């Protein structure tokens, strides 16, 4: 094994376990195709993984674009978040996601009903947007 594998369990109605199904699981199951992962984060119904290579993967509910793949289609297997690299930390909210880049910039995507993306709007974003000052 190359290490850095990810295991998930629990509710899976939106595919947030990332194992290719939408069936709940009471026992940990390895997510296929993910290795070299340095960190994970869980939102309400979506999940994120940060690769040791600085790329970000997401899966689960995507109704507000919180997977960052440019769509609003739920995914039950990991998809790469668009245009992000050199990421050093990740976080997941209820319906949005965040990433901190090595250069200190912060990127957000997903639900923005209350301005939680920090881009000066209240519009959802299905691809990462930079937090503005």
């Amino acid at each position: 094994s190359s290490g850095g594998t990810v295991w998930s369990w629990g509710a899976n109605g939106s595919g947030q376990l990332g194992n290719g199904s939408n069936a709940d699981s009471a026992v940990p199951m390895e997510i296929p195709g993910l290795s070299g992962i340095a960190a994970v984060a869980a939102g309400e119904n979506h999940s994120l993984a940060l690769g040791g290579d600085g790329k970000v993967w997401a899966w689960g509910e995507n109704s507000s674009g919180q997977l960052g793949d440019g769509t609003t289609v739920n995914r039950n297997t990991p998809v790469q978040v668009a245009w992000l690299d050199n990421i050093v930390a990740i976080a997941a909210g209820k319906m949005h996601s965040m990433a901190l880049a090595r250069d200190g910039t912060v990127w957000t995507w997903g639900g923005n009903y209350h301005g939680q993306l920090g881009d000066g709007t209240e519009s959802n974003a299905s691809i990462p947007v930079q937090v503005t000052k």
Side-chain angles (χ1 to χ4, degrees):
S1 170
S2 60
T5 58
V6 178
W7 295 70
S8 61
W9 57 95
N12 196 28
S14 299
Q16 62 264 45
L17 298 187
N19 61 15
S21 86
N22 286 66
D24 297 350
S25 178
V27 297
M29 299 176 63
E30 185 174 358
I31 299 175
L34 286 182
S35 62
I37 300 301
V40 293
E44 183 175 35
N45 292 306
H46 76 291
S47 305
L48 304 174
L50 172 60
D53 60 0
K55 299 203 181 299
V56 179
W57 298 85
W59 59 95
E61 184 181 345
N62 198 24
S63 60
S64 297
Q66 60 264 51
L67 302 187
D69 68 346
T71 77
T72 54
V73 177
N74 292 357
R75 308 287 183 175
N76 61 18
T77 57
V79 293
Q80 192 173 335
V81 177
W83 304 334
L84 284 186
D85 55 20
N86 295 312
I87 300 303
V88 297
I90 53 173
K94 180 177 178 179
M95 302 284 282
H96 71 293
S97 305
M98 305 176 75
L100 171 64
R102 187 172 313 284
D103 66 5
T105 57
V106 176
W107 298 84
T108 58
W109 58 97
N112 197 24
Y113 316 104
H114 305 290
Q116 58 265 55
L117 297 187
D119 66 347
T121 77
E122 290 187 356
S123 299
N124 294 352
S126 61
I127 58 171
V129 295
Q130 188 172 348
V131 173
T132 55
K133 294 182 182 177

